[in-house]
Amino acid sequence: MNTFGEIIDQIAISSKIIIHRHVNPDPDALGSQLGLAESIRATYPQKNVLLAGEGVGDLDWISTMDTVKDTDYQDALVIVVDTANRPRISDQRYHQGAKLIKIDHHPNVDPYGDLLYVNTSASSCSEIIADLINTAGNKLRMTARVAASLYTGIVGDTGRFLYPSTTVHTLAVAAQLVSFDFDANLINLKMGEITLNQARLQGYVYDHLEVDDSGAAKLIIPQSLLHSLDLTTDDAHVIVSTPGRLKGVHSWVMGVEQLDGTYRVHLRSQGPAINDLAAAHHGGGHPLASGAKAQDEAEMQQIFTELITLQQQFK
C-alpha cells in the first residue's frame, strides 16, 4: 500500500493526468473523480487533466466526461477512483498511460496499479480524496467546486449519513466541506429528486416485493415495465434502497432486466455480509452494498436462495 505523499508527489510531477471511475457511475464515483480533477486544475493550471468514462445518465448534474483521445494516454498519469476491480473500470484504455494509480474504499480484491491506496474504513472514495487534499498542503487545493463535488459523493455513499459507513471522521470531513461557498441544500434536494414515473416504479416495489420469513427479499424489474414507464435501466437506481424502509426486511436482492435479457443485480443488507455472494455472480462491492450480474431469472432465484441462507445464518 502506498502513502498519500507518494501519490501527491506523482501528481505534482505529471503534466498530463487522466482520471477514470467505474461503469454505471454513482454520485461517489463522479464526485471523487471530479473533485480530484478540480483540485489538480486549481493547483496546477498548466496541467492537462481529463475525465474519462462512458455516459453518466441522469447524473450529468454532477459531472460530464471529457473527450479523451488515444494519443492523450501517451506519457499520462492515469488515476482510477472508486473502482475495486479492473473489469469495472469505465473506458478500458486506463492501462495505456505511463503510470497507473488506484484510489478506492472497496475491499482490495484486485490490487492493480503502480501505486494504490485503499481504505475500506472510509465511507466513500470522496472522503479519501478529501483526506488526500487535506494532507497535501499547498500541493493540492480545496476550493468551493472541489468541496461541492466531494460532498456530493459522501452524501451519495452514506445515504445522507444514514448508513453504518458514516463515522465521526466522515461527519468532520463533511463539516469542513460545507464551510466552503456552495449550496449544500441544493445538492441534498437533487439527491432525493425523482420523476413521477420513478415514483410509480417505487409503488411497484411495494406491490411486488417477495419477502421471505428470514427477512430476505427479492424483486425483479422487467424491461417491459421500464418501457411502459418510459424509464431506462439507469433510471431504476432510485428504488434500490426502497425495500430497506420496510419493517422486517433486512437484506434484499433486486434484478433490473437489461435490453439483452440479463439482469443487473443490486444486493443490499442491514446485517449479513453480501459481497462474497456478489463476487460469486460476477460482481462485488461492500459487505452491505454490492452489485452482480445474472444471466436469467433462474440465476436471480439462485441468488435469492443464497441470500436467504445468509440471512438465516446471521439471525
Side-chain angles (χ1 to χ4, degrees), residues 184-205:
N185 183 56
L186 180 61
I187 291 173
N188 294 331
L189 290 173
K190 287 293 291 185
M191 295 289 278
E193 184 179 74
I194 62 173
T195 67
L196 178 59
N197 279 351
Q198 284 176 317
R200 291 176 172 134
L201 186 61
Q202 284 193 323
Y204 182 90
V205 174

Side-chain angles (χ1 to χ4, degrees), residues 4-185:
F4 278 159
E6 292 172 293
I7 294 172
I8 292 163
D9 289 343
Q10 193 62 53
I11 290 172
I13 65 173
S14 301
S15 60
K16 186 164 43 177
I17 301 169
I18 304 173
I19 306 176
H20 290 243
R21 39 75 185 170
H22 60 73
V23 297
N24 302 315
D26 56 10
D28 186 34
L30 297 176
S32 58
Q33 183 188 32
L34 180 62
L36 178 57
E38 287 299 316
S39 179
I40 298 171
R41 288 167 178 162
T43 313
Y44 307 98
Q46 75 279 10
K47 293 185 187 294
N48 184 18
V49 184
L50 299 171
L51 304 183
E54 287 87 12
V56 301
D58 62 356
L59 294 178
D60 57 0
W61 61 272
I62 301 175
S63 176
T64 56
M65 299 298 102
D66 296 311
T67 300
V68 184
K69 304 184 296 292
D70 289 346
T71 54
D72 289 326
Y73 286 90
Q74 185 174 352
D75 300 323
L77 169 64
V78 178
I79 303 175
V80 181
V81 298
D82 198 37
T83 312
N85 49 24
R86 281 167 281 193
R88 281 185 50 77
I89 299 174
S90 186
D91 192 331
Q92 286 287 301
R93 296 176 295 171
Y94 69 90
H95 58 82
Q96 295 181 11
K99 186 155 289 191
L100 177 65
I101 298 176
K102 172 186 180 180
I103 303 175
D104 192 28
H105 70 123
H106 299 91
N108 195 22
V109 295
D110 183 4
Y112 60 86
D114 301 296
L115 288 81
L116 70 156
Y117 184 91
V118 176
N119 179 7
T120 57
S121 297
S123 69
S124 55
C125 195
S126 294
E127 181 181 317
I128 295 175
I129 299 301
D131 288 339
L132 176 71
I133 295 169
N134 287 334
T135 301
N138 61 5
K139 291 185 177 181
L140 284 175
R141 288 183 58 197
M142 182 72 77
T143 68
R145 184 162 169 78
V146 174
S149 300
L150 299 180
Y151 178 80
T152 301
I154 291 173
V155 168
D157 254 27
T158 62
R160 300 190 222 182
F161 309 106
L162 290 175
Y163 300 157
S165 59
T166 305
T167 65
V168 171
H169 181 67
T170 305
L171 295 174
V173 170
Q176 176 208 1
L177 296 176
V178 297
S179 71
F180 285 80
D181 186 20
F182 70 90
D183 193 340
N185 183 56

